[in-house]
Amino acid sequence: QVQLVESGGGSVQAGGSLRLSCLASGASIENTFSRSCMAWFRRAPGREREAVAAVDSVGGTNYGDAVKARFNISKDNIKNILYLEMSSLEPEDTAMYYCAAYTGYCYINPFNSRLEERQYPHWGAGTNVAVSS
């Protein structure tokens, strides 16, 4: 089993920063977290869910075009926590943010962006981010 619990969302003014966390637990991920492929997705009101960032089994990362150079994804392999550090936030970043995981090996490359929902079987319930102008 895999449980993913997001936290760190909240309300912030444009230009501000937030750090989201995703705690991973469960028998299927506690001993494989370091090699697990993980990602953040978001869904804004009235819009489709979109990829934000992904990290692969060896620490490679990839980002959605809308957040490049503003967001940073990282993993703490001791605490089993996935992070998303968000800076220069814009009202367009307002959304529910979801953590997703795949407990197998994966490697980001030009043919495998790891930014597709179908690549992640495990999902958290989300944490809400609201950015005001």
Side-chain angles (χ1 to χ4, degrees):
Q1 281 191 333
V2 176
Q3 289 84 44
L4 303 173
V5 179
E6 302 94 336
S7 62
S11 298
V12 64
Q13 288 193 321
S17 301
L18 278 176
R19 187 177 75 164
L20 305 184
S21 300
C22 172
L23 176 63
S25 63
S28 298
I29 198 169
E30 285 181 352
N31 295 320
T32 61
F33 182 85
S34 62
R35 69 127 192 264
S36 293
C37 308
M38 302 194 72
W40 288 96
F41 289 79
R42 68 185 183 186
R43 177 177 283 151
R47 298 185 65 177
E48 298 284 323
R49 188 154 57 183
E50 66 172 343
V52 175
V55 57
D56 69 13
S57 298
V58 294
T61 59
N62 198 12
Y63 296 88
D65 290 339
V67 306
K68 282 180 181 176
R70 298 189 299 122
F71 289 12
N72 185 69
I73 187 172
S74 62
K75 293 168 65 184
D76 184 327
N77 292 328
I78 303 299
K79 297 180 180 178
N80 286 3
I81 298 176
L82 176 72
Y83 295 106
L84 182 70
E85 296 190 60
M86 308 185 293
S87 61
S88 301
L89 283 162
E90 304 167 351
E92 292 73 23
D93 296 317
T94 295
M96 184 71 79
Y97 284 72
Y98 300 91
C99 171
Y102 166 66
T103 57
Y105 288 98
C106 77
Y107 304 96
I108 292 170
N109 60 66
F111 303 99
N112 185 13
S113 70
R114 298 304 305 182
L115 293 177
E116 298 179 42
E117 292 184 47
R118 62 179 179 83
Q119 296 176 307
Y120 299 93
H122 308 290
W123 291 81
T127 186
N128 196 52
V129 172
V131 184
S132 59
S133 57

